[in-house]
Amino acid sequence: MRAAVLTGLGQVELQDRPEPDARPGWVVVAVESASLCGTDVHQYDGRIDTPFPRVPGHDFAGRVESVGEGVEESWVGRPVAVKPSLPCNDCPECDSGKPFDCKKKKLIGLWSDGCMTEKVAVPVVNLIPRPDGVEAWQASLLEPLAVGLNTVDRLRIILGESVVVLGQGPIGLALTRLCALSGAGKLIVTDAREAPFTVSRAFGATDCVNVAEVDAKQAVLDLTDGVGADIVIETSGFPASSAMVLDAVRKEGKVAHIGWANDLPPLPVIPIMAKTLTVFGIGGNGGRGQYERALELVRSGRFDLDPLVTHRFSLDDVAQAFETAASKADGAIKVVVTP
Amino acid sequence: MRAAVLTGLGQVELQDRPEPDARPGWVVVAVESASLCGTDVHQYDGRIDTPFPRVPGHDFAGRVESVGEGVEESWVGRPVAVKPSLPCNDCPECDSGKPFDCKKKKLIGLWSDGCMTEKVAVPVVNLIPRPDGVEAWQASLLEPLAVGLNTVDRLRIILGESVVVLGQGPIGLALTRLCALSGAGKLIVTDAREAPFTVSRAFGATDCVNVAEVDAKQAVLDLTDGVGADIVIETSGFPASSAMVLDAVRKEGKVAHIGWANDLPPLPVIPIMAKTLTVFGIGGNGGRGQYERALELVRSGRFDLDPLVTHRFSLDDVAQAFETAASKADGAIKVVVTP
Amino acid sequence: MRAAVLTGLGQVELQDRPEPDARPGWVVVAVESASLCGTDVHQYDGRIDTPFPRVPGHDFAGRVESVGEGVEESWVGRPVAVKPSLPCNDCPECDSGKPFDCKKKKLIGLWSDGCMTEKVAVPVVNLIPRPDGVEAWQASLLEPLAVGLNTVDRLRIILGESVVVLGQGPIGLALTRLCALSGAGKLIVTDAREAPFTVSRAFGATDCVNVAEVDAKQAVLDLTDGVGADIVIETSGFPASSAMVLDAVRKEGKVAHIGWANDLPPLPVIPIMAKTLTVFGIGGNGGRGQYERALELVRSGRFDLDPLVTHRFSLDDVAQAFETAASKADGAIKVVVTP
Amino acid sequence: MRAAVLTGLGQVELQDRPEPDARPGWVVVAVESASLCGTDVHQYDGRIDTPFPRVPGHDFAGRVESVGEGVEESWVGRPVAVKPSLPCNDCPECDSGKPFDCKKKKLIGLWSDGCMTEKVAVPVVNLIPRPDGVEAWQASLLEPLAVGLNTVDRLRIILGESVVVLGQGPIGLALTRLCALSGAGKLIVTDAREAPFTVSRAFGATDCVNVAEVDAKQAVLDLTDGVGADIVIETSGFPASSAMVLDAVRKEGKVAHIGWANDLPPLPVIPIMAKTLTVFGIGGNGGRGQYERALELVRSGRFDLDPLVTHRFSLDDVAQAFETAASKADGAIKVVVTP
């Protein structure tokens, strides 16, 4: 079968690979749609170390093609979304039959070959049945929603609280929509490009601040009567953005940190104490519940994924897909790849 | 000045009353708009005992006309909403300068003369400044929103939870809107009339169940895959509605009880334990924060009060206003009275 | 092997039964200690319907004797406590490999034969390894602690809150100790017997109220400056006790209801609303976490089980054990049975 | 009257000062006992900038001697504790009669003259009546308890959680006791001196780690099966201690930061995200509630202050008191000064 393979920095090519088998407890999923994520791009551009060669990709959906020993036959043919982290099979949680609670999960596409191909084998516990009304391309875009749900679940927004979302990449945009749905009052977003703001506004942002043009911190203070926002969520992973988090939040406010980069500046402790803040570190996409709820948000129409998808490529053009996602050319937000 | 006076059951008439003075710490508010509430109607129809004669009414807005000793002159002329419960001035909280924490607050219009007149004296601590963009008629409709905020603040809806609101009177409709804004997924409402459902749908209800036509409990179970809703909020005050609360909620779900009536059936304890439920009793309109946030929801347009107001009368026609509110004629939801 | 068998109301006798086998995924545990619980007693006295004949008992500990297919051999010989509810194997949670989340668990000793015998077969997922320093008799008394942990976890006591525990049977006493450990300030307990109060005081109760001698509701109000307690936990299952719950709790307080009986009076709704209460229904012993934490409380010495055990019998004297537990003779609290 | 006056770095001397008057809304308190706090010591040693000359001190208790206009006469003669921060009288909260909610409170002894003297004037709202059974010296030691309560209220310890308290100065020791009372399981404390560990153990610490002798981080991991503690509370204000916080806490754990110093290292963001942590910044001593609850903990005997007080001086020997507190000679923990 065809597979996209990262062979080195900035190098992705189509290769022929053998089809996977379904081990006991595993299934083979025929990929119907996959999406590119910041992680894939950083594997490509070198900000995340990757053991090459590697088939990248972890956010995907498809249909079960075959099942291994011990898995019910009725799975075959069912449309599914796939939770992308594999249990380690080597910790107390995995040993006691709770692989979803594994604390050392490994992301496919990074620690094992991923979904930018035609067929992928995964444990049956990673499958999430796809309800009627959710198409494969939609179910291949769930991860930013799952990360976002994981965030709003911990922030517990009180109806009317002011929220700032720093960065309007896919995760920032997902959080914009999820905060709007969760009761945010004033909902301020920032980015260094104008392009995503059209989506931000459609998703419920009340104020869009272009950090390339204005002093974002001052803009947030101006929009919040000088006191700062109730909640500040940093998704950009940019040092300058991370550095303003503690200034933009009000006394006794809440901060969530999601944007991940090796060069993030550390957080000074004094303002965290002086302002009596609560800082939430968000480290992943949560559990099965987050994926199921993301599917329901899409199915019910409360989260419209359409504005996020700016580019679609076939697997044959995967090199172009990576180039587009990495350069953010043409206002790229989400790039979808179809085998 | 003119004042509506309840002189007995079903009897309201316009009388001439002396204008109030502003005692130290109090202000006189010129009433610009008042709304009728279930409490007023129950004073009129006898379901709530009232010492007659009594000027009814507690949900109102206006403009400060004069201030008593110790109150800043700058209040004069300011547009305000008014928190309708008076501190008792005779408890530890009142004595220690925290009248808002008074546990024995007395509702005006019931325990003292109220707002269905031209001018009302209230303590300055009861005033809530009315921001630009909020008109008097809007600010005279805040109480259902304050009660509703008090409810959703305690329920802490998690994004996507299914919610049932039993009863679509003004408080039920307020909760429909507030639950939609707070992240409810499936949002099922019930009432014995079709009339309010148009508003319910505009406010975000996904399913409207007419209890006069179908078995409401079964309808809720059918709409929730047989497991019951995550949250059930009873606002109707009708025995039959209260009786179904514990059946309509799922295992480990949450219940809020707001609808108040003397003939409510008691709650059986066994299902509360067997289903591991949490039951929240909601007893009032919360504090100043709830009123300020209600104003902001109206100002920002997130809560459109317009669909709630079905009838408007001048103070001269207050008898007709009461008759309309009591009979719920013409699909009456909220009746507004303007001096 | 010998087994105690309930053959009818008030009838328990020793019979010879075949030894159990370990099915795939199950293990056989040799019982080292079992304790009698209110449920067992109510099966005996008829307050709980039981399909006779039935081997009663569910709170026990022992040592793994043999394992079925698919279970690691290393379990054999290990000392264990046993979670007493069996997953139904017939619900979405069981099907998806999460038997601990099964919502239809069945208590052994009631829905299947229980532990008042020499050997019992249970699924391996029900085992909780017993750490060094915890003896079998201690590990056979975990259920009241697990129920109690399930309760304090939901109440989230704030340091210094006043707590009333109604009833000082085993669950009431467990809650007395757990509330003391969790930061209760004033800790008032009630019972109709003086006998348990010695244990109550050792466990941290500050005030013991004998409901047979004084008006318990008035006593609680007197001990709380007339305002009621922050938290009231009903464990007795007696109608009169349940009826006073809403009177003994303060405005905006919390109530937990655990005591289970068919003749409990229902809760009036008006005071739940008027006092803005939160009512928690506690329906069981929680999950694996509760059992593991209960074991650690015992191991570390923070929960001393010794005062709870008033009587010990051998399996041969099981009839006398039941008679003692049912009559509460000699100040009986917990009755332990050793095969 | 006599007053201790800081006249420069390391310089404190007794001077004669005029007695204060009670302005309207204020009272004069005759000081019966005062205690030295880290803030006082840092004003003396220069780690906190102070406008000299300044009468230091803020943690004290006494008896009301006279009252200003508008204050009830019945205060005169009453024993009181005093909340040590003055409302700014110049913010929206102060203007609307809620001085306790003032966000710009100023500590006496730093921003105005303090309590190391015979009489101090404070607003009546700062008084906390001292119940029978609490002596003046006890009520002059409440601040560390109030800070600690403010911390445990936000951490919401679940019964049995493991807690590490870094630093065993007065606030660290207060937290040791408050965490023990709040349900901590394993309770590990660290300090660079052996002296305070006797108190730590009396207060409930299970393990004492001398950071001058062992690798504290490794010690915590060893004591928690390699996974880290559920909760880590940093009170020492030492860079090395702050730096180990994120290593000593388990995945999904909670961190509280209280220790204040200008040279604290900033917190790296990656581990906060990777471990999905929640970080609480604790900035002060909370509100009136914390002081009242601290008094009740002392009155009821649940918090025994005696072990904290290592040295007592009369006001005449205030220079020696400061020298002892600054040098921590003779195992000094808390130094009490009596006028």
Side-chain angles (χ1 to χ4, degrees), chain B residues 22-336:
Chain B
R23 283 175 270 171
W26 287 50
V27 303
V28 171
V29 176
V31 178
E32 293 181 328
S33 180
S35 71
L36 280 174
C37 156
T39 300
D40 307 305
V41 171
H42 291 335
Q43 294 178 246
Y44 175 81
D45 69 18
R47 289 179 74 190
I48 293 179
D49 289 334
T50 306
F52 299 122
R54 172 63 76 225
V55 178
H58 58 268
D59 206 2
F60 75 107
R63 209 166 277 270
V64 178
E65 194 179 80
S66 60
V67 300
E69 193 189 314
V71 178
E72 284 187 31
E73 271 296 326
S74 62
W75 276 107
V76 177
R78 289 178 70 176
V80 292
V82 184
K83 228 185 134 332
S85 294
L86 303 187
C88 75
N89 274 322
D90 187 33
C91 71
E93 284 75 16
C94 285
D95 288 351
S96 58
K98 296 182 287 185
F100 267 113
D101 294 335
C102 171
K103 308 255 185 214
K104 302 182 192 164
K105 285 177 203 146
K106 303 256 183 239
L107 193 67
I108 67 165
L110 177 57
W111 299 108
S112 62
D113 282 336
C115 68
M116 290 288 160
T117 180
E118 296 178 54
K119 297 177 186 178
V120 182
V122 294
V124 66
V125 293
N126 281 45
L127 300 184
I128 321 234
R130 221 164 82 207
D132 284 348
V134 179
E135 296 179 47
W137 72 267
Q138 292 170 311
S140 73
L141 287 162
L142 296 182
E143 203 199 24
L145 277 68
V147 172
L149 282 169
N150 201 14
T151 306
V152 294
D153 286 357
R154 286 178 68 209
L155 287 170
R156 305 303 294 271
I157 298 171
I158 293 169
L159 184 53
E161 284 190 316
S162 55
V163 179
V164 175
V165 181
L166 299 170
Q168 291 289 281
I171 287 180
L173 286 165
L175 272 157
T176 299
R177 182 67 189 140
L178 295 173
C179 288
L181 289 170
S182 297
K186 195 157 290 195
L187 179 46
I188 305 164
V189 304
T190 71
D191 204 86
R193 301 186 299 163
E194 283 290 325
F197 290 155
T198 311
V199 186
S200 309
R201 286 194 196 92
F203 277 7
T206 57
D207 300 273
C208 299
V209 175
N210 188 330
V211 300
E213 292 175 3
V214 302
D215 177 344
K217 175 182 123 185
Q218 193 55 49
V220 170
L221 292 176
D222 290 346
L223 287 163
T224 55
D225 299 325
V227 299
D230 295 315
I231 294 173
V232 176
I233 305 172
E234 154 54 28
T235 75
S236 74
F238 280 105
S241 187
S242 177
M244 71 170 272
V245 164
L246 304 184
D247 294 320
V249 70
R250 74 163 167 84
K251 216 174 169 219
E252 295 174 16
K254 289 175 274 184
V255 166
H257 228 292
I258 305 168
W260 193 293
N262 294 325
D263 49 358
L264 289 177
L267 293 171
V269 183
I270 295 282
I272 295 176
M273 294 189 289
K275 295 177 86 166
T276 316
L277 302 179
T278 307
V279 179
F280 298 93
I282 310 292
N285 48 36
R288 167 181 289 271
Q290 274 73 23
Y291 273 78
E292 290 172 344
R293 288 160 60 205
L295 274 172
E296 171 61 14
L297 285 171
V298 172
R299 191 204 61 73
S300 66
R302 281 196 293 280
F303 199 121
D304 178 8
L305 289 164
D306 209 51
L308 287 181
V309 181
T310 52
H311 296 77
R312 294 168 191 265
F313 295 95
S314 87
L315 183 57
D316 298 328
D317 300 321
V318 68
Q320 203 180 337
F322 267 85
E323 194 46 43
T324 303
S327 66
K328 295 190 186 169
D330 294 326
I333 299 172
K334 266 292 187 188
V335 174
V336 166

Side-chain angles (χ1 to χ4, degrees), chain D:
Chain D
M1 64 178 186
R2 293 166 302 148
V5 181
L6 287 174
T7 54
L9 286 191
Q11 296 176 330
V12 60
E13 60 182 53
L14 216 58
Q15 298 185 356
D16 192 59
R17 290 280 181 115
E19 297 203 354
D21 285 327
R23 282 176 271 169
W26 286 50
V27 303
V28 170
V29 176
V31 178
E32 293 181 328
S33 180
S35 71
L36 280 173
C37 155
T39 301
D40 307 305
V41 172
H42 291 336
Q43 293 177 245
Y44 174 82
D45 69 18
R47 288 181 75 192
I48 293 178
D49 288 334
T50 306
F52 300 120
R54 171 65 75 226
V55 178
H58 59 267
D59 206 2
F60 74 108
R63 208 166 279 269
V64 177
E65 195 179 80
S66 60
V67 300
E69 192 190 314
V71 179
E72 284 188 30
E73 271 295 326
S74 62
W75 277 107
V76 176
R78 288 178 71 176
V80 292
V82 184
K83 230 186 133 330
S85 293
L86 303 187
C88 74
N89 274 323
D90 187 32
C91 69
E93 284 74 17
C94 285
D95 288 352
S96 58
K98 296 183 287 188
F100 267 112
D101 294 335
C102 170
K103 308 253 183 212
K104 301 181 191 165
K105 285 177 202 147
K106 303 254 182 238
L107 194 67
I108 67 167
L110 178 55
W111 299 109
S112 62
D113 281 336
C115 69
M116 289 289 160
T117 179
E118 296 179 54
K119 296 179 187 177
V120 183
V122 294
V124 67
V125 293
N126 280 44
L127 300 184
I128 318 225
R130 219 164 83 206
D132 284 348
V134 179
E135 296 178 49
W137 72 267
Q138 293 171 311
S140 72
L141 288 162
L142 296 183
E143 202 200 24
L145 277 69
V147 172
L149 281 169
N150 201 15
T151 307
V152 293
D153 286 356
R154 285 177 69 208
L155 287 170
R156 305 303 294 270
I157 298 171
I158 293 170
L159 184 52
E161 284 189 316
S162 55
V163 179
V164 175
V165 182
L166 299 169
Q168 292 288 281
I171 286 179
L173 285 165
L175 271 158
T176 299
R177 183 66 189 140
L178 295 174
C179 289
L181 289 170
S182 299
K186 194 157 289 195
L187 179 47
I188 305 164
V189 304
T190 71
D191 204 85
R193 301 186 300 163
E194 282 290 325
F197 290 156
T198 312
V199 186
S200 309
R201 286 194 196 92
F203 278 5
T206 58
D207 300 273
C208 299
V209 175
N210 188 329
V211 299
E213 293 177 1
V214 301
D215 177 343
K217 175 182 123 185
Q218 193 55 49
V220 170
L221 292 176
D222 290 346
L223 287 163
T224 55
D225 299 326
V227 299
D230 294 314
I231 294 172
V232 176
I233 305 172
E234 154 53 28
T235 75
S236 76
F238 280 105
S241 186
S242 176
M244 71 169 272
V245 164
L246 303 185
D247 293 320
V249 69
R250 73 162 167 85
K251 216 174 167 217
E252 295 173 15
K254 288 175 277 185
V255 166
H257 228 292
I258 304 168
W260 193 291
N262 294 324
D263 49 358
L264 288 177
L267 293 170
V269 183
I270 294 282
I272 295 177
M273 294 189 289
K275 295 177 86 166
T276 317
L277 302 178
T278 307
V279 179
F280 298 93
I282 310 292
N285 48 38
R288 167 180 289 271
Q290 273 73 22
Y291 273 79
E292 290 171 344
R293 288 160 58 203
L295 273 172
E296 171 61 15
L297 285 170
V298 172
R299 191 204 60 74
S300 66
R302 279 196 294 279
F303 198 121
D304 178 8
L305 289 164
D306 210 51
L308 288 181
V309 181
T310 52
H311 295 77
R312 294 167 190 267
F313 296 95
S314 88
L315 183 57
D316 298 328
D317 300 320
V318 69
Q320 203 180 338
F322 266 84
E323 194 46 44
T324 303
S327 66
K328 296 191 185 169
D330 294 327
I333 299 171
K334 266 292 184 188
V335 173
V336 166
V337 175
T338 314

Side-chain angles (χ1 to χ4, degrees), chain A residues 310-329:
Chain A
T310 51
H311 296 76
R312 293 167 191 268
F313 295 94
S314 87
L315 183 57
D316 297 328
D317 300 320
V318 68
Q320 201 180 339
F322 267 85
E323 194 47 42
T324 304
S327 66
K328 296 190 186 171

